[in-house]
Amino acid sequence: MLFSDIGGISPGSMPPNSKLLVEEGAAVVSFKLVRNGHFQEAGITELLMAPGRLADQLPGCSGTRNLSDNLSDLKAQVAANTKGIQLVQELIAEHSLEVVQAYMKYIQANAEDAVREMLRDFSKSRGLPEVGTVTAEDQLDDGSPIRLTITIDRSEGSATFDFTGTGPEVYGNLNAPPAVAYSAIIYSLRCLVTRDIPLNQGCLAPIKVVIPEQCLLNPSPIAAVVGGNVLTSQRVTDVVLKAFGAAAASQGCMNNLTFGDSNMGYYETIAGGAGAGPTWHGRSGVHTHMTNTRITDPEILERRYPVVLRQFSLRKGSGGAGKHNGGDGVIREVEFLRPMTAGILSERRSVAPFGLFGGQPGEKGQNLLIRSDGRVVNLGGKATVQLQAGDVIRICTPGAGGYGAQEDAANGTDSRKRSAERAALQVGSVHEYRRLQESA
């Protein structure tokens, strides 16, 4: 679920400098939202307002600032689930429970077979031994490493994803619960398989995941995690795809901008560059990988909130050069019409998105505060700032990495590079799309 505000120490519930989970708003471990057909509005309201009781210990901590929106979102999700139940019941009535359950198992078995097939093909194309490994590493802007060793057993078509060597839990909010790493892995596997399959748990059947306790991908229960979900998740995905040689780094960030006051909170994620691959240039100005968000239309933004969108354009030339170029980031400039608090939570401001096989890195992002008197201040990657009327925030999002050296297009590549590029080219949903286009 994604709400614009669920309380905490800053409007939008994405505090750039949170250190503890309690600072990030309402945390609901388990709550029965509908009981005997009745929506439990009083109970969920109490949970959403609970962070406000911590105001004495955490100055500025508040319950949700958008209760009516929260309740409307939850009711919409209940309605969607109710419709889903109805459709499944109709399917069972038409085909029988036995048949429906059998096909659910078939779908998962097909996904498992597709992943095993991909792992075997990749292992052979890379010339790995029957049990062989590939590795990849990247680092967060604070220097924390994300290390991955993938051991592939070709006879079984299985793999172990081992994050041993990843940095410890951080004193900040870039920690990510294990579910985030699992989500990044299953997303990446779905991108790499050659079959057109629905995303399901069968993809993880051949996969073992090792995440050491107390590392930033398996932190303590009280650790702040709001940045892990939207930033670290992107970096884990980049590392997985890097290990398979499938694509250069995308922007590696969701560029989380929040603003508001005691009566309202707004939260948006901002697009950037997508990584290039063996047969494609990266897309420009898009949300990358599993963001599950879409930015608010300018007209709606300006009508509902006290802001003016001054600029929203591509950041030309910010993608890394290569045989295939990385996508460009964007420039988003917002002017504020009344005093409020704003926050920016972002990555790739110190460490550039990497290129692959000779491709150049994408440009790093930048966050600027332009005061009404003309003074310009670099906010860094993570900051909370008090704004006055006329102040402007300018977000320059990262470009993406290029794939392959520029001269390769004219001069060809050495055999090792060609082999690695072929391995990436011959797997994945992009491969399938290309095959269908060329056979049309």
Side-chain angles (χ1 to χ4, degrees):
M1 293 183 292
L2 176 64
F3 297 129
S4 60
D5 191 290
I6 54 170
I9 61 175
S10 68
S13 303
M14 298 291 288
N17 299 307
S18 55
K19 306 296 189 296
L20 298 169
L21 182 64
V22 295
E23 297 174 318
E24 298 175 345
V28 182
V29 177
S30 179
F31 178 75
K32 192 171 182 64
L33 188 59
V34 177
R35 186 181 299 275
N36 298 323
H38 296 284
F39 183 80
Q40 301 298 299
E41 184 168 326
I44 192 63
T45 296
E46 182 179 356
L47 290 172
L48 289 168
M49 299 305 296
R53 296 197 291 268
L54 301 173
D56 290 342
Q57 300 100 302
L58 298 172
C61 196
S62 166
T64 177
R65 300 166 182 86
N66 286 348
L67 179 61
S68 61
D69 286 358
N70 298 154
L71 296 176
S72 295
D73 286 346
L74 285 169
K75 290 175 181 178
Q77 292 180 53
V78 169
N81 285 338
T82 301
K83 182 62 176 179
I85 292 169
Q86 176 188 333
L87 293 172
V88 171
Q89 289 174 335
E90 291 175 1
L91 197 64
I92 292 171
E94 183 176 354
H95 297 286
S96 81
L97 178 61
E98 182 181 10
V99 170
V100 170
Q101 289 182 332
Y103 273 89
M104 288 178 173
K105 293 178 181 178
Y106 298 155
I107 289 171
Q108 292 190 52
N110 182 50
E112 178 182 345
D113 289 345
V115 171
R116 292 188 189 276
E117 178 183 74
M118 181 275 293
L119 292 171
R120 290 189 178 103
D121 290 346
F122 174 79
S123 175
K124 291 177 182 177
S125 66
R126 277 292 179 93
L128 298 179
E130 187 162 317
V131 178
T133 63
V134 292
T135 62
E137 181 178 342
D138 196 10
Q139 67 179 39
L140 302 176
D141 281 354
D142 67 0
S144 297
I146 298 175
R147 294 197 179 108
L148 173 62
T149 298
I150 303 177
T151 301
I152 299 174
D153 185 329
R154 192 162 63 238
S155 64
E156 294 182 356
S158 63
T160 298
F161 286 63
D162 188 348
F163 289 93
T164 298
T166 294
E169 176 182 319
V170 300
Y171 187 58
N173 56 30
L174 293 180
N175 306 293
V180 170
Y182 277 86
S183 295
I185 291 169
I186 195 173
Y187 163 82
S188 299
L189 293 172
R190 173 62 184 82
C191 291
L192 291 165
V193 298
T194 58
R195 303 183 197 175
D196 185 12
I197 61 171
L199 184 65
N200 65 83
Q201 190 66 18
C203 293
L204 290 179
I207 306 300
K208 177 183 177 182
V209 181
V210 177
I211 309 176
E213 291 186 0
Q214 304 303 317
C215 80
L216 65 90
L217 298 180
N218 191 3
S220 61
I222 64 172
V225 295
V226 72
N229 187 46
V230 293
L231 302 178
T232 309
S233 61
Q234 294 279 321
R235 308 301 290 279
V236 174
T237 300
D238 279 342
V239 169
V240 174
L241 295 178
K242 181 181 183 180
F244 284 97
S250 292
Q251 67 163 333
C253 177
M254 287 172 63
N255 306 290
N256 305 270
L257 176 65
T258 58
F259 59 80
D261 53 29
S262 59
N263 298 314
M264 69 91 179
Y266 174 80
Y267 165 40
E268 69 179 20
T269 62
I270 306 173
T279 63
W280 70 88
H281 297 291
R283 296 291 299 274
S284 297
V286 293
H287 280 301
T288 55
H289 303 313
M290 58 293 170
T291 60
N292 197 33
T293 58
R294 183 177 179 179
I295 205 161
T296 306
D297 292 335
E299 296 82 3
I300 301 299
L301 175 68
E302 294 183 343
R303 181 173 181 177
R304 294 186 178 179
Y305 299 95
V307 298
V308 174
L309 184 60
R310 291 296 185 191
Q311 182 180 357
F312 192 28
S313 63
L314 291 179
R315 189 184 174 199
K316 295 290 187 181
S318 57
K323 181 179 180 181
H324 296 104
N325 298 326
D328 290 335
V330 304
I331 299 173
R332 188 164 175 88
E333 198 169 274
V334 180
E335 180 181 348
F336 298 85
L337 303 182
R338 76 180 195 213
M340 64 182 73
T341 302
I344 181 67
L345 177 59
S346 60
E347 272 282 304
R348 293 290 192 199
R349 269 53 182 175
S350 298
V351 180
F354 57 80
L356 277 186
F357 303 115
Q360 296 300 303
E363 290 287 335
K364 294 174 284 189
Q366 186 179 52
N367 307 318
L368 299 177
L369 168 62
I370 306 171
R371 292 292 191 186
S372 57
D373 62 4
R375 186 164 62 100
V376 179
V377 180
N378 188 339
L379 294 175
K382 300 162 186 67
T384 299
V385 61
Q386 300 301 316
L387 300 171
Q388 301 301 319
D391 290 344
V392 172
I393 287 183
R394 179 185 176 95
I395 309 295
C396 300
T397 70
Y403 193 103
Q406 287 178 291
E407 60 268 20
D408 289 348
N411 302 328
T413 58
D414 63 51
S415 60
R416 187 169 59 180
K417 279 188 178 180
R418 283 198 300 271
S419 175
E421 289 186 11
R422 264 199 307 273
L425 173 60
Q426 292 170 353
V427 298
S429 54
V430 175
H431 158 74
E432 180 65 11
Y433 175 78
R434 177 172 176 265
R435 184 190 67 79
L436 292 172
Q437 293 296 309
E438 290 179 348
S439 63

